[in-house]
Amino acid sequence: MTSEPQQFASDNYSGICPEAWAAMAEANHGHAPAYGDDLWTARASDAFRALFETDCEVFFAFNGTAANSLALASLCQSYHGVICSDVAHVETDECGAPEFFSNGSKLLVAPSAGGKLTPEAIRAIATARSDIHFPKPRVVTVTQPTETGQVYELDELRAISAVCRELGLNLHMDGARFANACASLRCSPADMTWRAGIDVLCFGGTKNGMAAGEAILFFNRKLAEDFDYRCKQAGQLASKMRFLSAPWVGMLESGAWLRNAEHGNACARRLQQQIAGLSGLEVMFPVQANAVFVRMVDERMAALRDRGWRFYTFIGGGARFMFAWDAEPQRVDDLAADLRRIASA
Ligand SMILES: *Cc1c(COP(=O)(O)O)cnc(C)c1O
Protein backbone atom coordinates (compact mmCIF):
# COMPACT_ATOMS: atom_id res chain seq x y z
CA MET A 1 0.00 0.00 0.00
CA THR A 2 1.29 3.47 -0.81
CA SER A 3 1.14 6.00 1.97
CA GLU A 4 -0.15 9.53 1.62
CA PRO A 5 2.22 12.48 1.90
CA GLN A 6 2.80 13.47 5.49
CA GLN A 7 0.32 15.88 7.07
CA PHE A 8 0.63 17.93 10.23
CA ALA A 9 -3.05 18.18 11.12
CA SER A 10 -2.46 16.20 14.29
CA ASP A 11 0.41 14.50 16.04
CA ASN A 12 -1.72 11.37 16.16
CA TYR A 13 -1.59 11.07 12.38
CA SER A 14 1.88 9.61 12.91
CA GLY A 15 2.88 5.97 13.04
CA ILE A 16 4.50 3.92 15.76
CA CYS A 17 8.12 4.74 16.52
CA PRO A 18 10.75 1.99 16.13
CA GLU A 19 11.46 1.69 19.86
CA ALA A 20 7.78 1.10 20.73
CA TRP A 21 7.35 -1.24 17.79
CA ALA A 22 10.41 -3.31 18.69
CA ALA A 23 9.27 -3.73 22.27
CA MET A 24 5.86 -4.92 21.11
CA ALA A 25 7.49 -7.39 18.76
CA GLU A 26 9.68 -8.63 21.60
CA ALA A 27 6.63 -9.02 23.82
CA ASN A 28 5.01 -11.08 21.09
CA HIS A 29 6.81 -14.30 21.98
CA GLY A 30 4.98 -17.08 23.70
CA HIS A 31 2.40 -16.59 26.42
CA ALA A 32 2.28 -14.34 29.45
CA PRO A 33 -0.16 -13.88 32.34
CA ALA A 34 -3.12 -11.63 31.54
CA TYR A 35 -4.53 -8.42 33.05
CA GLY A 36 -1.19 -6.91 33.99
CA ASP A 37 0.33 -9.76 35.99
CA ASP A 38 3.13 -10.07 33.42
CA LEU A 39 6.78 -9.10 33.41
CA TRP A 40 6.40 -6.36 30.77
CA THR A 41 3.87 -4.51 32.89
CA ALA A 42 6.08 -4.78 35.96
CA ARG A 43 9.05 -3.56 33.95
CA ALA A 44 7.12 -0.62 32.48
CA SER A 45 5.88 0.40 35.92
CA ASP A 46 9.43 0.24 37.27
CA ALA A 47 10.67 2.28 34.32
CA PHE A 48 8.19 5.00 35.26
CA ARG A 49 9.31 4.89 38.90
CA ALA A 50 12.93 5.20 37.81
CA LEU A 51 12.20 8.05 35.41
CA PHE A 52 10.15 9.95 37.99
CA GLU A 53 12.56 9.10 40.83
CA THR A 54 9.74 8.07 43.13
CA ASP A 55 7.67 5.09 44.16
CA CYS A 56 4.45 6.11 42.39
CA GLU A 57 1.45 3.93 41.55
CA VAL A 58 1.23 3.25 37.81
CA PHE A 59 -1.79 2.26 35.69
CA PHE A 60 -2.34 1.93 31.95
CA ALA A 61 -5.36 2.96 29.92
CA PHE A 62 -6.12 2.84 26.21
CA ASN A 63 -6.51 6.56 25.61
CA GLY A 64 -6.33 10.00 27.11
CA THR A 65 -10.02 10.60 27.56
CA ALA A 66 -10.28 7.54 29.77
CA ALA A 67 -7.07 8.33 31.63
CA ASN A 68 -8.14 11.90 32.40
CA SER A 69 -11.72 11.00 33.26
CA LEU A 70 -10.88 8.13 35.56
CA ALA A 71 -8.05 10.02 37.22
CA LEU A 72 -10.31 13.01 37.89
CA ALA A 73 -13.08 10.75 39.14
CA SER A 74 -10.67 9.23 41.65
CA LEU A 75 -9.85 12.68 43.04
CA CYS A 76 -13.36 13.75 43.94
CA GLN A 77 -16.91 12.77 44.79
CA SER A 78 -19.84 13.27 42.45
CA TYR A 79 -20.89 16.47 44.22
CA HIS A 80 -17.44 18.04 43.86
CA GLY A 81 -16.21 20.42 41.17
CA VAL A 82 -13.11 20.25 38.95
CA ILE A 83 -11.49 23.57 38.03
CA CYS A 84 -10.09 23.65 34.50
CA SER A 85 -9.24 26.12 31.75
CA ASP A 86 -11.93 27.08 29.27
CA VAL A 87 -9.95 25.44 26.45
CA ALA A 88 -8.96 22.31 28.40
CA HIS A 89 -9.35 19.04 26.51
CA VAL A 90 -11.44 17.71 29.40
CA GLU A 91 -13.90 20.54 28.79
CA THR A 92 -13.92 20.80 25.01
CA ASP A 93 -12.95 17.39 23.61
CA GLU A 94 -13.98 14.57 25.90
CA CYS A 95 -17.71 14.49 25.25
CA GLY A 96 -18.58 14.86 28.92
CA ALA A 97 -16.55 11.80 29.91
CA PRO A 98 -15.06 13.43 33.04
CA GLU A 99 -18.56 14.23 34.30
CA PHE A 100 -19.83 10.80 33.22
CA PHE A 101 -17.14 8.75 34.94
CA SER A 102 -17.31 10.86 38.10
CA ASN A 103 -21.09 10.52 38.20
CA GLY A 104 -21.58 14.23 37.77
CA SER A 105 -18.61 16.15 39.18
CA LYS A 106 -19.00 19.47 37.44
CA LEU A 107 -16.19 21.06 35.46
CA LEU A 108 -15.77 24.64 36.65
CA VAL A 109 -14.33 26.56 33.76
CA ALA A 110 -11.90 29.46 34.17
CA PRO A 111 -11.14 31.93 31.40
CA SER A 112 -7.49 31.49 30.48
CA ALA A 113 -4.80 32.85 28.20
CA GLY A 114 -3.20 30.15 26.09
CA GLY A 115 -5.02 27.57 28.19
CA LYS A 116 -3.00 28.36 31.31
CA LEU A 117 -4.69 28.51 34.68
CA THR A 118 -3.39 30.99 37.24
CA PRO A 119 -3.46 30.90 41.03
CA GLU A 120 -5.77 33.93 40.93
CA ALA A 121 -8.25 32.25 38.58
CA ILE A 122 -8.26 29.12 40.70
CA ARG A 123 -8.77 31.08 43.89
CA ALA A 124 -11.57 33.11 42.35
CA ILE A 125 -13.54 30.02 41.38
CA ALA A 126 -12.72 28.05 44.51
CA THR A 127 -13.81 30.81 46.85
CA ALA A 128 -16.71 32.32 44.91
CA ARG A 129 -19.32 30.16 46.59
CA SER A 130 -19.38 28.23 49.82
CA ASP A 131 -23.09 27.48 50.03
CA ILE A 132 -24.63 24.08 49.57
CA HIS A 133 -26.16 24.88 46.18
CA PHE A 134 -22.91 24.97 44.23
CA PRO A 135 -20.58 22.00 43.64
CA LYS A 136 -17.74 22.03 46.13
CA PRO A 137 -14.41 22.65 44.34
CA ARG A 138 -12.06 19.74 45.02
CA VAL A 139 -9.74 19.31 42.02
CA VAL A 140 -7.68 21.45 39.69
CA THR A 141 -6.55 20.09 36.34
CA VAL A 142 -3.80 21.69 34.26
CA THR A 143 -2.76 20.66 30.75
CA GLN A 144 1.01 20.55 30.25
CA PRO A 145 1.71 21.67 27.56
CA THR A 146 -1.60 23.39 26.94
CA GLU A 147 -3.86 22.62 24.02
CA THR A 148 -2.30 25.52 22.11
CA GLY A 149 1.27 24.53 22.90
CA GLN A 150 2.18 26.75 25.84
CA VAL A 151 4.25 25.35 28.64
CA TYR A 152 3.78 26.11 32.33
CA GLU A 153 7.09 27.10 33.89
CA LEU A 154 7.99 25.22 37.06
CA ASP A 155 7.39 28.25 39.24
CA GLU A 156 3.95 28.68 37.70
CA LEU A 157 3.13 25.07 38.59
CA ARG A 158 4.48 25.55 42.10
CA ALA A 159 2.36 28.65 42.59
CA ILE A 160 -0.72 26.74 41.46
CA SER A 161 0.00 23.82 43.75
CA ALA A 162 0.53 26.18 46.69
CA VAL A 163 -2.98 27.57 46.18
CA CYS A 164 -4.32 24.04 45.81
CA ARG A 165 -2.77 22.98 49.11
CA GLU A 166 -4.07 26.08 50.84
CA LEU A 167 -7.62 25.51 49.55
CA GLY A 168 -7.68 21.74 49.92
CA LEU A 169 -7.71 20.98 46.20
CA ASN A 170 -6.12 17.96 44.52
CA LEU A 171 -3.97 18.72 41.50
CA HIS A 172 -4.13 16.71 38.28
CA MET A 173 -2.01 17.15 35.16
CA ASP A 174 -3.24 16.23 31.69
CA GLY A 175 0.07 15.31 30.09
CA ALA A 176 -1.16 14.09 26.72
CA ARG A 177 2.04 15.76 25.45
CA PHE A 178 3.95 15.67 28.73
CA ALA A 179 7.17 14.66 26.97
CA ASN A 180 7.03 17.80 24.83
CA ALA A 181 6.86 19.92 27.97
CA CYS A 182 9.88 18.14 29.48
CA ALA A 183 11.79 18.63 26.23
CA SER A 184 10.80 22.28 26.10
CA LEU A 185 11.85 23.16 29.66
CA ARG A 186 14.71 20.64 29.74
CA CYS A 187 13.65 19.70 33.21
CA SER A 188 13.21 16.34 34.88
CA PRO A 189 9.82 14.64 34.98
CA ALA A 190 10.06 14.68 38.77
CA ASP A 191 10.55 18.45 38.89
CA MET A 192 7.60 18.94 36.55
CA THR A 193 5.27 16.81 38.66
CA TRP A 194 5.46 15.63 42.24
CA ARG A 195 8.22 18.00 43.25
CA ALA A 196 5.97 20.80 42.01
CA GLY A 197 2.98 19.40 43.90
CA ILE A 198 1.17 17.41 41.19
CA ASP A 199 -0.85 14.56 42.73
CA VAL A 200 -1.71 12.64 39.57
CA LEU A 201 -0.32 12.72 36.03
CA CYS A 202 -1.78 11.32 32.83
CA PHE A 203 1.28 10.70 30.65
CA GLY A 204 0.44 10.44 26.96
CA GLY A 205 1.98 7.66 24.94
CA THR A 206 -0.07 7.88 21.76
CA LYS A 207 1.08 11.31 20.63
CA ASN A 208 4.58 10.49 21.83
CA GLY A 209 5.00 7.65 19.32
CA MET A 210 3.03 4.63 20.51
CA ALA A 211 0.08 2.97 18.79
CA ALA A 212 -2.12 3.54 21.81
CA GLY A 213 -1.86 3.98 25.51
CA GLU A 214 -1.59 6.47 28.33
CA ALA A 215 -0.12 5.94 31.76
CA ILE A 216 -1.72 7.24 34.92
CA LEU A 217 0.78 7.99 37.67
CA PHE A 218 -0.35 8.60 41.24
CA PHE A 219 2.36 10.40 43.18
CA ASN A 220 -0.05 10.69 46.07
CA ARG A 221 -0.55 6.94 46.48
CA LYS A 222 -3.54 7.28 48.80
CA LEU A 223 -5.54 8.65 45.88
CA ALA A 224 -4.93 5.46 43.89
CA GLU A 225 -7.09 3.36 46.16
CA ASP A 226 -9.32 1.06 44.10
CA PHE A 227 -8.21 2.74 40.88
CA ASP A 228 -7.77 -0.70 39.32
CA TYR A 229 -11.48 -1.37 39.87
CA ARG A 230 -12.33 1.96 38.30
CA CYS A 231 -10.31 1.05 35.20
CA LYS A 232 -11.90 -2.36 34.95
CA GLN A 233 -15.44 -1.02 35.32
CA ALA A 234 -14.78 1.57 32.62
CA GLY A 235 -13.58 -1.06 30.17
CA GLN A 236 -9.99 0.12 30.45
CA LEU A 237 -8.34 -3.01 31.81
CA ALA A 238 -6.50 -4.68 28.92
CA SER A 239 -6.51 -8.44 29.14
CA LYS A 240 -3.37 -8.72 27.02
CA MET A 241 -1.89 -5.90 29.06
CA ARG A 242 1.64 -6.63 27.94
CA PHE A 243 0.92 -5.06 24.55
CA LEU A 244 -0.15 -1.84 26.26
CA SER A 245 2.81 -1.83 28.65
CA ALA A 246 5.67 -3.20 26.52
CA PRO A 247 5.83 -0.14 24.24
CA TRP A 248 6.38 2.00 27.33
CA VAL A 249 9.42 -0.12 28.16
CA GLY A 250 10.72 0.60 24.68
CA MET A 251 9.98 4.30 24.97
CA LEU A 252 11.32 4.90 28.47
CA GLU A 253 14.35 2.62 28.60
CA SER A 254 15.69 3.85 25.25
CA GLY A 255 15.04 7.53 25.89
CA ALA A 256 12.81 7.68 22.79
CA TRP A 257 10.08 9.42 24.81
CA LEU A 258 12.29 12.50 25.11
CA ARG A 259 14.00 12.31 21.69
CA ASN A 260 10.64 12.03 19.97
CA ALA A 261 9.37 15.09 21.79
CA GLU A 262 12.53 17.08 21.08
CA HIS A 263 12.12 16.32 17.40
CA GLY A 264 8.47 17.41 17.36
CA ASN A 265 9.31 20.63 19.18
CA ALA A 266 12.22 21.35 16.83
CA CYS A 267 9.95 20.92 13.80
CA ALA A 268 7.44 23.37 15.26
CA ARG A 269 10.21 25.93 15.75
CA ARG A 270 11.46 25.20 12.22
CA LEU A 271 8.07 26.09 10.78
CA GLN A 272 7.63 29.12 12.98
CA GLN A 273 11.03 30.54 12.06
CA GLN A 274 10.24 30.29 8.36
CA ILE A 275 6.86 31.99 8.54
CA ALA A 276 7.46 34.59 11.25
CA GLY A 277 6.64 38.10 10.13
CA LEU A 278 4.91 37.20 6.86
CA SER A 279 2.10 39.63 6.13
CA GLY A 280 -1.33 38.05 6.10
CA LEU A 281 -0.29 35.26 8.47
CA GLU A 282 -0.17 35.50 12.21
CA VAL A 283 1.39 32.93 14.49
CA MET A 284 -1.25 32.99 17.19
CA PHE A 285 0.58 31.60 20.22
CA PRO A 286 4.15 31.39 21.46
CA VAL A 287 5.68 28.20 20.06
CA GLN A 288 6.90 26.35 23.15
CA ALA A 289 6.10 22.73 22.28
CA ASN A 290 5.14 20.90 19.07
CA ALA A 291 2.25 23.09 17.91
CA VAL A 292 2.03 26.08 15.57
CA PHE A 293 -1.27 27.91 15.13
CA VAL A 294 -1.56 30.29 12.17
CA ARG A 295 -4.33 32.81 11.77
CA MET A 296 -5.24 33.80 8.20
CA VAL A 297 -8.30 34.83 6.23
CA ASP A 298 -10.59 32.12 4.84
CA GLU A 299 -9.32 32.63 1.27
CA ARG A 300 -5.79 31.81 2.38
CA MET A 301 -7.00 28.76 4.29
CA ALA A 302 -8.74 27.57 1.14
CA ALA A 303 -5.60 28.20 -0.91
CA LEU A 304 -3.58 26.15 1.56
CA ARG A 305 -6.10 23.31 1.35
CA ASP A 306 -5.95 23.53 -2.45
CA ARG A 307 -2.24 22.90 -2.16
CA GLY A 308 -3.06 19.62 -0.45
CA TRP A 309 -2.56 20.51 3.20
CA ARG A 310 -4.86 19.25 5.90
CA PHE A 311 -5.35 21.09 9.15
CA TYR A 312 -7.97 21.74 11.80
CA THR A 313 -9.35 25.09 12.86
CA PHE A 314 -11.45 24.09 15.86
CA ILE A 315 -9.18 25.80 18.37
CA GLY A 316 -9.26 29.57 18.05
CA GLY A 317 -10.14 29.59 14.34
CA GLY A 318 -6.56 29.43 13.05
CA ALA A 319 -4.87 26.59 11.19
CA ARG A 320 -3.25 24.17 13.59
CA PHE A 321 -0.08 22.27 12.76
CA MET A 322 1.24 19.57 15.10
CA PHE A 323 4.58 17.81 14.76
CA ALA A 324 5.17 14.26 15.84
CA TRP A 325 8.26 12.08 16.32
CA ASP A 326 8.44 11.31 12.61
CA ALA A 327 7.82 14.76 11.13
CA GLU A 328 9.97 15.08 8.01
CA PRO A 329 12.00 18.31 8.01
CA GLN A 330 11.65 18.54 4.22
CA ARG A 331 7.88 18.34 4.52
CA VAL A 332 7.97 21.08 7.19
CA ASP A 333 9.93 23.22 4.73
CA ASP A 334 7.39 22.42 1.99
CA LEU A 335 4.60 23.63 4.26
CA ALA A 336 6.56 26.78 5.08
CA ALA A 337 7.11 27.42 1.35
CA ASP A 338 3.42 27.02 0.61
CA LEU A 339 2.53 29.34 3.48
CA ARG A 340 4.95 31.92 2.08
CA ARG A 341 3.35 31.58 -1.35
CA ILE A 342 -0.19 32.09 -0.10
CA ALA A 343 0.92 34.94 2.15
CA SER A 344 2.26 36.93 -0.77
CA ALA A 345 -0.48 35.92 -3.21
C1 LIG B 1 -5.03 14.12 22.59
C2 LIG B 1 -5.29 14.70 23.93
C3 LIG B 1 -5.85 13.92 24.96
C4 LIG B 1 -6.24 12.48 24.76
O1 LIG B 1 -7.18 12.27 23.76
P1 LIG B 1 -7.67 10.81 23.35
O2 LIG B 1 -8.12 11.02 21.94
O3 LIG B 1 -8.78 10.45 24.25
O4 LIG B 1 -6.52 9.88 23.49
C5 LIG B 1 -5.99 14.50 26.21
N1 LIG B 1 -5.63 15.76 26.44
C6 LIG B 1 -5.10 16.55 25.48
C7 LIG B 1 -4.67 17.94 25.82
C8 LIG B 1 -4.92 16.04 24.19
O5 LIG B 1 -4.40 16.83 23.25
Side-chain angles (χ1 to χ4, degrees), residues 99-124:
E99 294 92 334
F100 177 77
F101 282 111
S102 60
N103 289 310
S105 306
K106 187 172 165 55
L107 294 181
L108 307 172
V109 171
S112 65
K116 276 194 191 179
L117 287 176
T118 60
E120 296 71 34
I122 292 166
R123 185 184 299 280

Side-chain angles (χ1 to χ4, degrees), residues 12 63-66 68 89 94 143 147 174 176-177 206-207 214:
N12 56 27
N63 64 29
T65 298
N68 281 337
H89 197 270
E94 299 190 356
T143 309
E147 289 69 11
D174 174 353
R177 302 186 180 89
T206 312
K207 288 168 183 155
E214 317 278 301

Side-chain angles (χ1 to χ4, degrees), residues 26-267:
E26 214 187 306
N28 194 27
H29 287 108
H31 286 202
Y35 296 111
D37 289 331
D38 63 284
L39 294 174
W40 284 101
T41 303
R43 194 166 146 195
S45 303
D46 285 343
F48 274 111
R49 292 184 192 110
L51 181 64
F52 283 82
E53 307 170 61
T54 188
D55 189 20
C56 52
E57 294 269 12
V58 182
F59 301 88
F60 301 96
F62 291 105
N63 64 29
T65 298
N68 281 337
S69 302
L70 297 173
L72 291 173
S74 73
L75 301 184
C76 58
Q77 299 288 335
S78 58
Y79 48 83
H80 285 141
V82 176
I83 298 171
C84 68
S85 139
D86 51 356
V87 297
H89 197 270
V90 291
E91 159 72 6
T92 62
D93 288 284
E94 299 190 356
C95 195
E99 294 92 334
F100 177 77
F101 282 111
S102 60
N103 289 310
S105 306
K106 187 172 165 55
L107 294 181
L108 307 172
V109 171
S112 65
K116 276 194 191 179
L117 287 176
T118 60
E120 296 71 34
I122 292 166
R123 185 184 299 280
I125 291 187
T127 58
R129 294 272 297 267
S130 57
D131 58 275
I132 195 128
H133 304 285
F134 190 74
K136 191 174 181 183
R138 175 48 55 87
V139 186
V140 171
T141 175
V142 292
T143 309
Q144 174 76 323
T146 67
E147 289 69 11
T148 49
Q150 282 67 70
V151 175
Y152 287 92
E153 300 284 340
L154 295 187
D155 54 6
E156 291 177 307
L157 290 174
R158 291 186 198 115
I160 285 173
S161 80
V163 171
C164 289
R165 270 194 301 278
E166 180 196 327
L167 300 175
L169 307 167
N170 293 317
L171 184 52
H172 164 264
M173 179 178 277
D174 174 353
R177 302 186 180 89
F178 181 76
N180 299 89
C182 291
S184 180
L185 290 189
R186 297 177 192 281
C187 73
S188 76
D191 285 345
M192 184 94 83
T193 56
W194 60 274
R195 284 199 197 113
I198 305 293
D199 295 304
V200 181
L201 167 71
C202 295
F203 188 141
T206 312
K207 288 168 183 155
N208 195 210
M210 289 168 39
E214 317 278 301
I216 303 119
L217 276 54
F218 285 85
F219 305 109
N220 180 342
R221 297 176 60 112
K222 278 202 308 287
L223 297 170
E225 194 184 330
D226 290 345
F227 193 73
D228 43 353
Y229 287 89
R230 215 179 266 287
C231 288
K232 173 68 190 184
Q233 185 183 48
Q236 290 290 322
L237 178 62
S239 58
K240 289 189 183 175
M241 181 68 93
R242 65 190 185 282
F243 297 108
L244 212 52
S245 57
W248 281 115
V249 173
M251 300 289 284
L252 300 184
E253 290 185 358
S254 70
W257 72 277
L258 190 59
R259 281 195 302 277
N260 288 353
E262 283 166 347
H263 178 77
N265 291 1
C267 287

Side-chain angles (χ1 to χ4, degrees), residues 272-334:
Q272 183 223 349
Q273 281 159 7
Q274 294 182 67
I275 64 170
L278 291 177
S279 69
L281 302 182
E282 183 203 344
V283 176
M284 294 165 66
F285 304 101
V287 176
Q288 297 171 348
N290 66 330
V292 181
F293 287 71
V294 189
R295 198 191 319 274
M296 59 188 113
V297 294
D298 289 348
E299 292 71 32
R300 289 203 165 92
M301 296 238 202
L304 198 57
R305 290 206 166 92
D306 285 346
R307 289 179 173 274
W309 293 101
R310 282 195 215 153
F311 50 86
Y312 298 110
T313 57
F314 63 90
I315 301 177
R320 183 187 80 160
F321 300 101
M322 306 289 311
F323 301 93
W325 66 274
D326 61 347
E328 295 158 9
Q330 181 57 54
R331 205 50 197 149
V332 178
D333 295 349
D334 292 347

